[in-house]
Amino acid sequence: MIHNIIHKRFDTKRALRLIGLLLTGVLAETPASAAVIGKITMIEVSSSGYDFRVYVANAPLVCTGGSNFAYTLPTESNFNAYVSVLLTAYTLGRTVTIYTSLVNSQCKITGVNVGQ
């Protein structure tokens, strides 16, 4: 019985190592993401392509190779959540961390955190 428990633990450790190696390879192939931290200075809503734009204080570039704003589109699954959280943070003057990924030379929002 003890031998079986030890053997199962060993297999679990090997499986976790393998998963870690696979994830490392997968993450290495995904586009680099960036984060910008600060207070939101302006929000733009438009129908001209980058429908909901967020500008952050002291962030001349939101992501490397991108623009000075982060955007999300209504077709994104988290669009309503992003808009709600970002508008609330802007209204309350909270610090945000906006995670982005470079898409077509622009910084697409991939995640948001709100602090104090």
Side-chain angles (χ1 to χ4, degrees), residues 4-110:
N4 288 340
I5 293 171
I6 293 171
H7 185 68
K8 286 181 182 179
R9 285 185 184 162
F10 177 73
D11 287 342
T12 303
K13 286 182 182 178
R14 279 185 41 193
L16 289 174
R17 284 187 194 137
L18 179 61
I19 290 169
L21 290 173
L22 291 172
L23 287 176
T24 303
V26 169
L27 292 176
E29 295 178 15
T30 59
S33 61
V36 62
I37 301 171
K39 295 197 181 211
I40 299 170
T41 57
M42 184 169 62
I43 291 178
E44 288 182 331
V45 179
S46 169
S47 60
S48 64
Y50 302 104
D51 295 2
F52 187 83
R53 301 178 190 182
V54 180
Y55 297 81
V56 177
N58 302 316
L61 286 178
V62 176
C63 61
T64 304
S67 60
N68 64 337
F69 63 86
Y71 78 93
T72 189
L73 300 171
T75 54
E76 297 297 322
S77 60
N78 287 336
F79 177 78
N80 290 333
Y82 289 150
V83 169
S84 176
V85 166
L86 291 167
L87 285 173
T88 301
Y90 178 64
T91 301
L92 297 175
R94 298 289 177 104
T95 299
V96 295
T97 303
I98 301 175
Y99 299 92
T100 61
S101 189
L102 186 64
V103 176
N104 297 324
S105 300
Q106 301 297 334
C107 306
K108 180 179 176 184
I109 297 172
T110 58

